[in-house]
């Protein structure tokens, strides 16, 4: 019986900005149900990794595979983007649309039937704790409320791959618990998540791996079961040495 390919695989991925390599010869895999926490100092290439994955064009070097298929053909890339949920460091919401309209627009862009998506949107807004503000525009929202709405959009439609850049920004304790619940549910359903973060505590106990980037390269890859205080200290020493 053939082995099941990883949900996502990066092979020799490089990303350049002019002559500077933000990512250099990066190889990694994310399997179904796996959480990859991406850590590292400023300028390590963490956000560049998400940017490379979300680019509509091929990487500068290397290949990206989704379910074993290289993202070379337009059809393969369309399938990839249809199954990805994403939240960047800024929520990227439309401030003149209500919270509900923001999610409705997102669902429409994905071509989801209006009747089915309406119930899905209502459930997402309720889960995010925004039911009382659903018909208000995000202009009046706090930073934490904007983040809640951005997370509701990222998890809408039960994506197979979730890409997050500092997902806990602005969230209070209840918001962080809401996020952890959403993530745990998608992981248990077989989705994979790549999360750029400077915060480790809210991700504890969810399995997966800790990946440390330094100067665009993978400096350490530690499974959570082996992520002790000693291994953590060694990884941070490696990151900030020199």
């Amino acid at each position: 019986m053939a082995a099941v390919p990883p949900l996502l695989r990066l092979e020799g991925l490089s990303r350049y900005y002019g002559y500077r390599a933000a990512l250099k010869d990066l190889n990694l895999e994310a399997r179904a149900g796996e959480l990859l926490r991406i850590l590292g100092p400023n300028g390590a290439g963490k956000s560049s990794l998400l940017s490379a994955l979300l680019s509509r064009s091929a990487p500068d070097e290397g290949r990206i595979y989704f379910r074993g298929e290289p993202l070379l053909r337009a059809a393969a890339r369309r399938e990839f983007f249809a199954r990805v949920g994403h939240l960047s460091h800024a929520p990227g919401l439309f401030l003149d649309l209500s919270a509900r309209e923001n999610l409705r627009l997102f669902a429409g862009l994905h071509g989801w039937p209006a009747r089915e998506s309406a119930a899905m949107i209502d459930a997402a807004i309720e889960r995010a704790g925004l039911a009382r503000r659903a018909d208000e525009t995000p202009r009046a929202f706090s930073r934490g409320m904007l983040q809640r709405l951005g997370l509701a959009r990222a998890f809408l439609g039960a994506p197979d791959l979730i890409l997050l850049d500092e997902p806990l920004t602005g969230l209070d304790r209840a918001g962080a618990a809401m996020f952890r619940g959403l993530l745990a549910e998608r992981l248990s359903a077989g989705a994979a998540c790549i999360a750029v973060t400077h915060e480790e505590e809210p991700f504890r106990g969810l399995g997966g791996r800790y990946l440390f980037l330094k100067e665009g390269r993978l400096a350490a890859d530690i499974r959570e079961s082996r992520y002790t205080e000693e291994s953590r200290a060694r990884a941070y020493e490696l990151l900030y040495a020199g």
Side-chain angles (χ1 to χ4, degrees):
M1 188 175 185
V4 177
L7 189 69
L8 180 73
R9 179 161 66 93
L10 311 184
E11 186 179 274
L13 186 71
S14 295
R15 182 71 181 265
Y16 294 92
Y17 296 101
Y19 293 102
R20 186 181 69 84
L23 298 171
K24 187 61 178 174
D25 196 27
L26 189 63
N27 299 285
L28 64 85
E29 295 181 352
R31 294 193 170 273
E34 189 171 36
L35 167 63
L36 303 185
R37 309 154 181 84
I38 310 296
L39 301 104
N42 293 336
K46 303 185 301 297
S47 295
S48 292
L49 170 58
L50 298 189
S51 177
L53 290 172
L54 291 164
S55 175
R56 297 284 173 176
S57 60
D60 296 319
E61 293 176 359
R63 286 190 177 180
I64 302 171
Y65 295 82
F66 183 62
R67 295 197 176 108
E69 183 176 356
L71 299 185
L72 298 175
R73 298 182 298 108
R77 297 195 72 79
R78 283 196 299 270
E79 170 64 17
F80 175 73
F81 286 115
R83 299 310 309 151
V84 171
H86 169 242
L87 179 64
S88 65
H89 187 58
L93 301 165
F94 291 92
L95 298 183
D96 291 322
L97 299 180
S98 70
R100 192 188 310 278
E101 288 168 339
N102 265 275
L103 298 188
R104 190 179 295 153
L105 174 62
F106 181 78
L109 291 173
H110 279 273
W112 298 332
R115 182 175 298 178
E116 295 176 14
S117 62
M120 184 168 55
I121 289 168
D122 286 344
I125 289 174
E126 181 72 31
R127 184 71 179 272
L130 297 173
R132 294 184 178 180
R133 310 287 294 271
D135 296 312
E136 297 179 25
T137 68
R139 288 188 181 279
F141 285 7
S142 68
R143 182 64 180 88
M145 292 172 65
L146 291 172
Q147 195 74 358
R148 284 171 178 257
L149 182 56
L151 286 167
R153 184 191 60 197
F155 283 87
L156 197 66
D160 295 325
L161 178 64
I162 306 153
L163 305 175
L164 305 171
D165 194 349
E166 300 295 352
L168 295 151
T169 300
L171 294 181
D172 57 14
R173 183 173 298 181
M178 177 272 297
F179 162 68
R180 182 183 169 91
L182 285 172
L183 180 56
E185 287 175 13
R186 288 308 305 143
L187 292 173
S188 65
C193 176
I194 298 177
V196 169
T197 183
H198 284 97
E199 300 185 59
E200 297 183 24
E201 185 60 35
F203 293 94
R204 293 192 189 279
L206 294 175
R209 293 141 60 199
Y210 292 81
L211 305 182
F212 292 84
L213 294 186
K214 181 177 182 179
E215 297 177 353
R217 297 178 183 271
L218 186 60
D221 181 345
I222 309 171
R223 293 205 167 275
E224 186 178 44
S225 59
R226 298 184 177 182
Y227 192 62
T228 62
E229 286 300 321
E230 182 181 356
S231 63
R232 180 180 185 274
R234 287 201 306 267
Y236 275 92
E237 182 180 1
L238 178 64
L239 286 182
Y240 293 100

